[in-house]
Amino acid sequence: EMCIRDRYQRRVHGEERIDSLVQLASEGKTQLETYTYKYVANTTFDPERSDRQWLYQTCTQVGWFQTAYRDPKMATRSHRVDLTYYKGLCQAAFGANIWPDIENTNNQFGATLLRATNLIMTNGIEDPWQWASEKQSHGSMIAMVIRCEGCAHCIDIVNPKPDDSIRLVFARLRIVHNFMRWFK
């Protein structure tokens, strides 16, 4: 599957943008409810959701907020999705005036020279976040890019399916092997 942004960009010609986004959402490619304050403030455990955990890490440590593209003609997000929006979202979700201390996070974890052991960083070849991740292993930190069609963000932690790519199966086995080695 193509990234939603790519599909959106290809459809925009001759169509209204909002109609294109509604069509993508109706195809089940995105869940609009996940962008609401009410959704992220929900503390009910659901093994199918990791949005709240990721938002907490973003609000307190990394600050990787996805704001609107600077050229409104190319933006897939509203210009209202800015840092002010995310400050409100963090406060609504966690009930506190929290904001990431990126300098502290970089000092604690080594910024681009990660100081970590027994860490696995996986990226699908179609993962837009791979550019913010490690892609080279060093020490006991293992980095891998899973090269297969449809290998997007978090593909390695999705429940396995019989038709998974052999490269994806191999990556999962490598992850399990390392966990078992580390926890001996």
Side-chain angles (χ1 to χ4, degrees), residues 26 34 61 87 119 124 140 163 175 183:
S26 70
T34 64
Q61 291 182 320
K87 285 180 183 180
L119 173 68
S140 67
D163 60 343
I175 292 166
F183 292 115

Side-chain angles (χ1 to χ4, degrees), residues 47-167:
E48 299 298 318
R49 287 183 46 195
S50 63
D51 313 71
R52 187 171 164 80
Q53 293 90 320
W54 172 245
L55 182 63
Y56 184 78
Q57 187 173 16
T58 302
C59 289
T60 60
Q61 291 182 320
V62 295
W64 289 335
F65 298 109
Q66 297 178 18
T67 58
Y69 189 68
R70 67 184 168 274
D71 180 354
K73 294 176 189 153
M74 298 295 291
T76 57
R77 287 184 170 81
S78 166
H79 69 278
R80 294 180 182 138
V81 180
D82 57 11
L83 293 180
T84 301
Y85 163 80
Y86 282 108
K87 285 180 183 180
L89 184 65
C90 291
Q91 185 169 4
F94 305 109
N97 191 17
I98 60 173
W99 196 243
D101 184 344
I102 297 166
E103 184 175 342
N104 182 54
T105 300
N106 284 337
N107 289 335
Q108 183 178 0
F109 296 108
T112 59
L113 300 171
L114 286 177
R115 292 186 305 263
T117 58
N118 299 346
L119 173 68
I120 299 175
M121 298 188 85
T122 58
N123 300 280
I125 191 68
E126 298 176 18
D127 187 349
W129 288 101
Q130 69 176 295
W131 310 110
S133 180
E134 285 284 339
K135 291 187 267 184
Q136 296 293 320
S137 298
H138 50 86
S140 67
M141 191 201 78
I142 298 164
M144 63 177 95
V145 177
I146 306 167
R147 298 181 187 283
C148 61
E149 188 168 329
C151 284
H153 188 60
C154 295
I155 191 65
D156 54 308
I157 59 174
V158 173
N159 285 330
K161 295 179 286 199
D163 60 343
D164 282 342
S165 155
I166 192 68
R167 291 181 177 187

